[in-house]
Amino acid sequence: MTFPSKHGVDDMVMLSSVSNSNINSNLEKRFEKDIIYTYIGHVLISVNPFRMIPGLYDEQTLFDYRGKFRFEMPPHVYATADDMYRSMLSNEEAQCVIISGESGAGKTEASKKILQYIACVSGRAADVARVKDMILDSNPLLEAFGNAKTIRNNNSSRFGKYMEIQFDRSGDPKGGRITNYLLEKSRVTFQTPSERCFHVFYQLLKGASAQLKDELRLQSPDYYFYINQGGCYDVDGINDVEEYNDTIQAMNTLQFSATEQQEIWRLLSSILWLGNIDYVEDDSDKADVANGDTLEMFAYMFQSDPMTVRSALLSRTITTGAARRGSTYAVPLNKADAYVSRDALAKALYSRMFDYIVRRVNESLGWVSGLGPEVIGVLDIYGFEIFEENGFEQLCINYVNEKLQQIFINLTLKEEQEEYAREGIEWEPINFFNNKICCDLIESRRNPIGIFTLLDDTCNFPQGTDEKFLQKSQEQHAGHNHFSGRGDTFVIKHYAGDVEYSIHGMLGKNRDTLFNDLIDLCQCTNSTIIPSMFPEDTRSKKRPTTASFKIRESIGILVDALSLCHPHYIRCIKPNDKKAAKNFNTNRVLHQVKYLGLEENVKVRRAGYAYRQVYDKFLYRYAICCDKTWPVDPWVGRFKEGTIAILESLGLQGKKPFSAGNSKVFIRAPETIFNLEELRERKTYIYAVRIQRFFLKQAREAINYRLKKSANDVVRGKKDRRRLSLERSYFGDYINYSENFTLKAVVGKDIKVHFADVVNRVDRKGKKARRIFLITDMDIVVVMLGKNKDKATRRANPFAYTIVQRIPLQNIPQITFSTLADNFFHIKNSDTMAGWDFILENPKKVEIISTLLTVFPNMSINFSDSFSAVLKRRKKPITFTFMPNPSAPEDGLLKGKRITVPPGIGKDAYPTLREPEQATHTRTEYNRPGGNNPPPSRAGPPGGGPPSRGGPPPRGGPPSRGGPPGGVPARGGPPSRGGPPGGAPARGPPSGIPARGGPPPSAQRGPPGGPGRSGPPPTSPGRTPGRLPPRPSGSGRQLPTPGGAGGPPPGGFRLPFA
């Protein structure tokens, strides 16, 4: 099922013709109308609008998606977040979302919206709120230190981040951790024109207080060499002063002490001053500092001695020999090497500071050991990059994107087709591009040797150069379809396009060497945090690992972590390179559609199955949905047979809606699972309510006593009583309203209903019509069940509920009853401009009085043998009169405007009321003849099947899903119990409402074969009489019992799950 849209289709699986151009056209149609989200099955496609769309992420939208199945709402990132959250709780399985796309496609925003949604829908306890605040505030903190403006994106992530959030079984976050990948530290010392360094530098220089600026000797941004090379100091849509304040708040939330914060700002200032140190060179090529005052300022901020700083920046210590025979020399640096040493220190300081911040964030979040598998991971990592000049950083970034693309291909295309073959499912293979060849080209260790391995080998030789690396690469990959050399560059044919990489500086960036002199300088500073950032042993002879080795190792760990989770995907698309709103570059988007493999994704989705699960888990979860598998205890058939029985009971339509594999069941349409989940929730809720009613019987008796006494006190001496109504029990719900989800959706899912029954409404002509009468906390509601006028759903649901009028209780000045033994009453509506009066007939009039006085104690109850009622808006009142007539029928006779009533048993008749005794103990004897029902024999959901793994119990009752009336699945599943329209027969009204003129089923309370019944009571389809206990006070229908209507059978009743 997809939502019908005037602007393309919500799910591109539903495209009439699948091609890259049609996919592109569908995205463009939706983009033009600010519809930026589209599905391909379970994959979410997001097109960056480069502006805020009103109402797209407001609080109401967030709550609209809460607890909804994906098919119920239009595509949205909130739907993906809710799917992850619900799946984690119901399946007890870790979830992750992989957000991919080019730089500037909107990946960071998508990750923030997911975290925002999860924080909103989880618990509200104090400790939970603390963890949620930390999770949310970690974003602005890491963005300040890890994001920067590039020519493609004003808020580009220059690092990779994988955030994992731990939850308990109730769905509340308890801890988390962040893993960061490959910070682009070269940006600290260099930016291309129109780009900026990391945001935090500009935040500090613009947002710091005057006192802090004075302490750190801060100048304007254009004063510092490290951040003025791009010539860009302000960014549209970014307020550096406000974001500085957000960064401070985030630090406070994440428990950074005032000393830590001061040390971090001081370190940032020292990096800025370090970049302003210049050098001169003497005749012997020895470098010296040209501006000693700047060096002294750096030393002051760095909290170190100026002479020590000068020595570390101008010389390099070299040790020759070994052990006692070794010699140590201080080799002076030339001007070029001095600049390299200065920049290496700046990059190391910033990179280590970023790692320190991430480590401190993780300490504050806390990773709780021993929790279950309830984890949600959000991967936000740099997108694929192609610049005019691409170097080592772009090679690493694009390699990571190749690995993520490989995960997507393996899980959505390759493994899916292989699984169909293993399970014996008929399948027509679909060709797709497998980028494993690109990944092997970069990372392979042999046959052929990958680029990273060749780079490491060249770095191991003292005389290794960038040129020798390129020569080795050309020799190793000569004739490779995805590699070619061009002068001092080489080209890799990536999945996203051809990228030309410059070899200049590749070896130096891969070595990532920080000389021991600079490490010693950092370890000897008086700062409280810098020494902890450099734990290296400078005396060790072990060769440090290279940057390419580190990125391969960390990405390998990331891939392993993602493989342990159930993946969700968000594919972000950049509509143009100008960062302009309302600008859809067709060729630019078409290129992304092609290399992301969306066409192949749609084809696999159309040809395959949306859901698959092993048989035992499927039966374990959905056995409650089918009478053949529930409440059978235990299920004696094979798991496969039970699974097939459940699916066949839904009456699924279409060509092969499911297939039974060797070990798994494959279901084609996701709506089938959505409907099973909805049916499961309703069944579980129904059983839980029945159990609650049974065990609350004593409390209900006390309530009944108070209700009966208050109402009969009002009526006594004022109205003639009927014999049948005097001693009757009060149930409140006579139409099974609590289980009629369709009616609840019409009335309002969160509205408490105290009384529900069928009444006869009298119109202006004196004719009767059946209506449903409800008393809520706030109003009286009259509902009509009539023919469904919606052509789209009329065949499946021939009847539909419509609210005739909702009258607030404060608008009812009085309710009038006659003094005779009839069943009529008059509801006066003071707002005759918006509504009208009602004259209704119902035998439970005294219970109605008691309910009204309970919810609205100020209600005026009058008694008169003349009703003057306005029965139609803006019409004159009509008077109905009551007259005694001994020969009139028992229920009275309405003829025209006159009602004749036979005599009753007197106005002073009063029921026999016995005040219930207060319970003196809570333990009850079970399993004795005629005694109470036994308790459940084991933990588990009601009904006799395996325990539910469905997550936390619903809060305030099951949420309304907005699906077909009565819980009827879209594909013809069974109607939910309780008489919603969807479960009604094709002709005639549902069985929950009696035939015209007769009393409702709840009034027919005689024993089998006695008055009011012509035979044994009806039972639910597929249920054996006696499986459920008699419905206690508060229910509408009397369930059958093996021992007849007189009491429980010997040995007690058997609960549904006993």
Side-chain angles (χ1 to χ4, degrees):
M1 170 182 175
T2 59
F3 271 77
S5 175
K6 298 178 181 179
H7 314 289
V9 296
D10 287 354
D11 192 334
M12 289 192 284
V13 173
M14 306 303 293
L15 286 173
S16 57
S17 176
V18 180
S19 67
N20 286 323
S21 59
N22 286 346
I23 292 173
N24 194 50
S25 176
N26 187 69
L27 293 175
E28 184 174 10
K29 290 177 184 177
R30 298 171 67 79
F31 180 82
E32 290 173 350
K33 298 299 179 181
D34 289 340
I35 307 173
I36 64 171
Y37 293 115
T38 310
Y39 287 136
I40 299 179
H42 64 285
V43 178
L44 181 67
I45 310 299
S46 172
V47 183
N48 191 349
F50 288 116
R51 66 187 184 92
M52 289 302 299
I53 298 176
L56 186 60
Y57 302 113
D58 61 16
E59 185 177 1
Q60 183 59 49
T61 302
L62 190 149
F63 281 101
D64 286 344
Y65 279 86
R66 182 175 182 176
K68 299 291 179 64
F69 292 114
R70 200 156 41 110
F71 76 98
E72 297 182 67
M73 299 290 289
H76 202 288
V77 67
Y78 288 160
T80 299
D82 188 78
D83 190 21
M84 293 171 60
Y85 185 70
R86 289 159 57 92
S87 298
M88 174 195 69
L89 293 175
S90 61
N91 299 332
E92 293 184 357
E93 182 182 12
Q95 309 285 310
C96 71
V97 57
I98 300 174
I99 308 172
S100 58
E102 290 188 9
S103 177
K107 300 182 298 300
T108 299
E109 285 301 311
S111 69
K112 288 194 289 187
K113 296 305 177 186
I114 288 175
L115 295 178
Q116 175 193 9
Y117 183 88
I118 292 172
C120 184
V121 300
S122 50
R124 295 289 185 271
D127 59 332
V128 173
R130 179 186 62 82
V131 175
K132 292 197 295 185
D133 289 343
M134 290 182 177
I135 291 171
L136 293 178
D137 279 353
S138 66
N139 265 319
L141 179 61
L142 295 181
E143 280 189 21
F145 286 87
N147 287 27
K149 177 193 180 298
T150 68
I151 58 176
R152 292 173 178 256
N153 186 359
N154 287 347
N155 187 34
S156 177
S157 297
R158 309 317 298 163
F159 72 107
K161 176 182 67 176
Y162 183 54
M163 172 175 277
E164 297 171 277
I165 308 172
Q166 278 185 312
F167 297 83
D168 59 17
R169 283 294 295 119
S170 63
D172 293 335
K174 291 299 181 183
R177 64 186 175 193
I178 295 172
T179 308
N180 59 301
Y181 303 95
L182 193 67
L183 177 72
E184 187 192 22
K185 56 187 178 182
S186 62
R187 183 167 292 272
V188 176
T189 61
F190 175 76
Q191 309 92 44
T192 59
S194 299
E195 292 194 348
R196 293 207 312 181
C197 193
F198 293 102
H199 292 323
V200 70
F201 288 108
Y202 307 92
Q203 293 178 11
L204 176 63
L205 295 176
K206 298 178 183 180
S209 64
Q211 179 183 351
L212 184 60
K213 288 182 179 180
D214 182 64
E215 291 177 4
L216 303 181
R217 307 296 192 269
L218 297 179
Q219 309 296 320
S220 60
D222 58 353
Y223 180 80
Y224 298 104
F225 173 72
Y226 275 164
I227 64 174
N228 66 13
Q229 300 170 66
C232 178
Y233 309 110
D234 299 295
V235 180
D236 293 338
I238 294 180
N239 187 319
D240 291 310
V241 176
E242 290 182 1
E243 296 203 356
Y244 171 78
N245 295 327
D246 292 341
T247 302
I248 294 292
Q249 179 184 342
M251 284 184 166
N252 293 331
T253 303
L254 290 159
Q255 302 173 352
F256 282 73
S257 67
T259 302
E260 282 181 298
Q261 294 182 37
Q262 185 70 16
E263 286 289 323
I264 290 173
W265 301 133
R266 193 178 186 110
L267 179 52
L268 289 173
S269 176
S270 67
I271 292 174
L272 292 174
W273 284 107
L274 177 62
N276 279 14
I277 296 177
D278 280 325
Y279 299 98
V280 294
E281 199 170 55
D282 60 16
D283 296 337
S284 59
D285 293 338
K286 292 181 180 179
D288 196 8
V289 175
N291 47 352
D293 56 339
T294 303
L295 183 140
E296 291 179 0
M297 184 61 70
F298 165 72
Y300 169 73
M301 293 297 165
F302 196 65
Q303 304 178 60
S304 187
D305 177 64
M307 294 305 297
T308 304
V309 173
R310 179 184 293 268
S311 174
L313 291 177
L314 296 178
S315 63
R316 181 182 307 164
T317 300
I318 297 178
T319 301
T320 60
R324 297 179 181 178
R325 297 184 179 182
S327 301
T328 301
Y329 303 91
V331 179
L333 301 178
N334 59 31
K335 183 177 179 179
D337 289 339
Y339 278 119
V340 171
S341 178
R342 179 199 69 178
D343 293 347
L345 176 60
K347 290 185 286 187
L349 285 172
Y350 193 87
S351 174
R352 302 290 179 98
M353 177 186 64
F354 188 79
D355 292 338
Y356 173 84
I357 290 173
V358 173
R359 186 166 64 252
R360 284 288 292 109
V361 170
N362 287 338
E363 290 173 2
S364 298
L365 288 173
W367 185 261
V368 184
S369 59
L371 282 184
E374 290 80 18
V375 176
I376 288 180
V378 180
L379 179 63
D380 174 21
I381 208 159
Y382 19 59
F384 197 89
E385 291 187 345
I386 306 176
F387 296 127
E388 291 184 4
E389 183 173 343
N390 304 283
F392 179 75
E393 293 85 356
Q394 281 67 46
L395 177 61
C396 293
I397 289 172
N398 293 342
Y399 161 70
V400 172
N401 279 269
E402 287 281 3
K403 294 294 289 184
L404 295 179
Q405 176 71 1
Q406 188 179 28
I407 293 175
F408 180 80
I409 289 173
N410 285 340
L411 294 179
T412 61
L413 301 175
K414 182 173 178 290
E415 288 188 6
E416 182 153 346
Q417 299 192 64
E418 291 176 352
E419 184 176 37
Y420 292 147
R422 288 194 305 269
E423 292 289 331
I425 304 297
E426 294 182 6
W427 176 258
E428 183 177 343
I430 294 174
N431 296 325
F432 59 91
F433 170 67
N434 190 343
N435 73 325
K436 184 178 185 299
I437 187 172
C438 291
C439 295
D440 291 342
L441 171 64
I442 299 173
E443 68 179 2
S444 177
R445 298 183 183 277
R446 58 181 178 273
N447 298 328
I449 300 175
I451 290 173
F452 277 163
T453 305
L454 291 173
L455 193 58
D456 288 347
D457 290 344
T458 309
C459 289
N460 289 335
F461 290 95
Q463 302 303 318
T465 63
D466 296 330
E467 289 74 17
K468 287 185 178 179
F469 158 68
L470 178 60
Q471 181 183 352
K472 286 185 176 181
S473 299
Q474 290 174 330
E475 292 173 356
Q476 187 67 222
H477 300 292
H480 196 291
N481 293 333
H482 292 262
F483 179 89
S484 61
R486 299 178 184 176
D488 59 353
T489 65
F490 63 91
V491 177
I492 295 179
K493 189 179 182 63
H494 290 283
Y495 77 95
D498 297 353
V499 182
E500 185 175 7
Y501 297 98
S502 172
I503 64 170
H504 294 304
M506 273 208 174
L507 259 65
K509 293 177 180 178
N510 186 50
R511 288 191 180 107
D512 196 25
T513 304
L514 186 65
F515 294 111
N516 289 342
D517 303 81
L518 300 178
I519 296 176
D520 290 336
L521 174 66
C522 296
Q523 291 175 342
C524 295
T525 178
N526 292 326
S527 168
T528 59
I529 66 173
I530 295 177
S532 65
M533 301 176 187
F534 295 85
E536 295 96 328
D537 181 3
T538 55
R539 295 170 297 178
S540 174
K541 300 299 181 181
K542 185 178 179 180
R543 179 177 294 167
T545 56
T546 62
S548 63
F549 176 84
K550 292 175 183 175
I551 192 65
R552 272 182 295 173
E553 186 178 45
S554 59
I555 292 304
I557 296 173
L558 172 63
V559 170
D560 292 340
L562 294 176
S563 65
L564 298 176
C565 304
H566 178 77
H568 303 256
Y569 302 96
I570 300 179
R571 310 287 267 174
C572 297
I573 289 179
K574 188 175 182 180
N576 62 79
D577 290 325
K578 298 178 180 179
K579 296 178 283 190
K582 296 286 187 179
N583 185 331
F584 192 94
N585 187 320
T586 303
N587 293 332
R588 186 75 178 82
V589 175
L590 183 61
H591 174 67
Q592 296 171 75
V593 168
K594 289 180 178 178
Y595 75 66
L596 289 174
L598 300 188
E599 180 183 4
E600 292 81 2
N601 195 192
V602 173
K603 288 181 177 179
V604 169
R605 186 69 181 181
R606 285 168 69 115
Y609 295 85
Y611 175 87
R612 73 284 318 274
Q613 184 59 273
V614 293
Y615 292 117
D616 56 344
K617 284 189 176 182
F618 186 92
L619 181 64
Y620 183 85
R621 183 162 184 80
Y622 299 115
I624 195 173
C625 298
C626 176
D627 290 332
K628 292 183 179 179
T629 55
W630 196 275
V632 177
D633 185 18
W635 166 253
V636 296
R638 298 174 62 86
F639 293 137
K640 184 175 183 179
E641 296 168 354
T643 298
I644 294 175
I646 294 170
L647 293 172
E648 287 180 345
S649 71
L650 298 179
L652 302 176
Q653 300 176 358
K655 182 180 179 182
K656 288 199 82 172
F658 70 92
S659 292
N662 297 326
S663 63
K664 296 181 180 180
V665 62
F666 293 79
I667 297 175
R668 190 174 298 278
E671 294 76 33
T672 303
I673 296 301
F674 299 150
N675 290 324
L676 277 171
E677 284 290 336
E678 186 169 358
L679 186 59
R680 180 182 179 275
E681 279 191 13
R682 292 185 175 184
K683 290 273 192 177
T684 305
Y685 174 73
I686 288 170
Y687 287 135
V689 168
R690 291 177 182 174
I691 295 170
Q692 288 173 353
R693 285 175 175 173
F694 180 78
F695 286 106
L696 291 175
K697 180 179 181 180
Q698 184 169 345
R700 185 66 190 178
E701 288 176 350
I703 294 173
N704 267 335
Y705 171 78
R706 292 195 298 270
L707 290 175
K708 285 185 178 182
K709 190 174 187 309
S710 63
N712 280 279
D713 288 347
V714 172
V715 175
R716 190 173 192 175
K718 298 177 182 178
K719 183 174 178 63
D720 197 2
R721 303 301 303 277
R722 303 178 66 205
R723 179 180 56 82
L724 293 178
S725 67
L726 194 64
E727 300 290 348
R728 55 173 295 274
S729 299
Y730 291 0
F731 295 100
D733 183 3
Y734 295 91
I735 60 173
N736 216 13
Y737 175 84
S738 62
E739 298 176 11
N740 191 333
F741 296 95
T742 307
L743 180 56
K744 291 173 75 172
V746 173
V747 175
K749 63 179 181 180
D750 297 324
I751 293 178
K752 173 68 174 177
V753 172
H754 299 274
F755 181 87
D757 197 9
V758 177
V759 299
N760 287 324
R761 176 197 175 190
V762 179
D763 62 14
R764 289 171 54 84
K765 297 180 180 180
K767 295 183 179 180
K768 297 180 182 180
R770 287 181 306 157
R771 297 291 183 263
I772 296 173
F773 178 75
L774 307 172
I775 301 176
T776 74
D777 283 328
M778 303 299 295
D779 45 33
I780 285 177
V781 186
V782 179
V783 182
M784 178 179 68
L785 178 63
K787 291 184 178 180
N788 188 355
K789 297 181 180 180
D790 186 356
K791 295 181 180 180
T793 60
R794 184 183 301 168
R795 181 181 295 275
N797 305 308
F799 298 95
Y801 292 113
T802 304
I803 293 181
V804 177
Q805 190 176 171
R806 188 190 295 266
I807 310 175
L809 293 176
Q810 62 267 24
N811 288 352
I812 303 176
Q814 65 182 31
I815 294 184
T816 305
F817 297 81
S818 78
T819 63
L820 304 180
D822 60 278
N823 296 324
F824 293 89
F825 57 98
H826 169 213
I827 299 176
K828 182 69 176 177
N829 186 358
S830 61
D831 187 5
T832 56
M833 298 300 293
W836 53 89
D837 299 350
F838 281 100
I839 293 180
L840 304 175
E841 180 187 24
N842 185 274
K844 307 172 187 67
K845 52 195 174 297
V846 180
E847 183 177 355
I848 291 174
I849 293 175
S850 66
T851 305
L852 286 171
L853 293 176
T854 300
V855 298
F856 197 69
N858 297 326
M859 180 67 67
S860 176
I861 307 297
N862 295 338
F863 297 88
S864 173
D865 290 337
S866 177
F867 292 173
S868 180
V870 178
L871 298 180
K872 193 172 183 180
R873 187 185 292 121
R874 300 176 182 177
K875 295 291 184 178
K876 293 181 179 181
I878 297 176
T879 301
F880 290 80
T881 58
F882 293 81
M883 300 182 64
N885 184 354
S887 62
E890 183 180 3
D891 293 332
L893 177 64
L894 171 63
K895 190 171 183 181
K897 308 298 185 297
R898 178 180 296 179
I899 302 172
T900 56
V901 185
I905 59 177
K907 294 181 180 181
D908 293 327
Y910 200 82
T912 303
L913 297 180
R914 180 181 300 174
E915 185 173 1
E917 297 180 1
Q918 296 294 325
T920 58
H921 57 84
T922 56
R923 186 178 183 88
T924 309
E925 294 181 5
Y926 297 103
N927 295 325
R928 56 182 174 83
N932 293 299
N933 290 337
S937 59
R938 63 179 183 274
S948 170
R949 301 174 66 192
R955 299 175 181 174
S960 173
R961 297 291 173 201
V968 180
R971 293 181 175 269
S976 66
R977 207 166 164 219
R987 296 184 180 274
S991 59
I993 295 181
R996 182 181 295 273
S1002 56
Q1004 302 172 4
R1005 296 210 168 270
R1013 282 186 179 169
S1014 58
T1019 61
S1020 301
R1023 296 201 179 277
T1024 303
R1027 285 293 292 178
L1028 295 176
R1031 188 178 294 268
S1033 299
S1035 65
R1037 293 174 294 172
Q1038 181 72 30
L1039 292 177
T1041 65
F1053 291 108
R1054 190 178 177 196
L1055 288 177
F1057 51 80

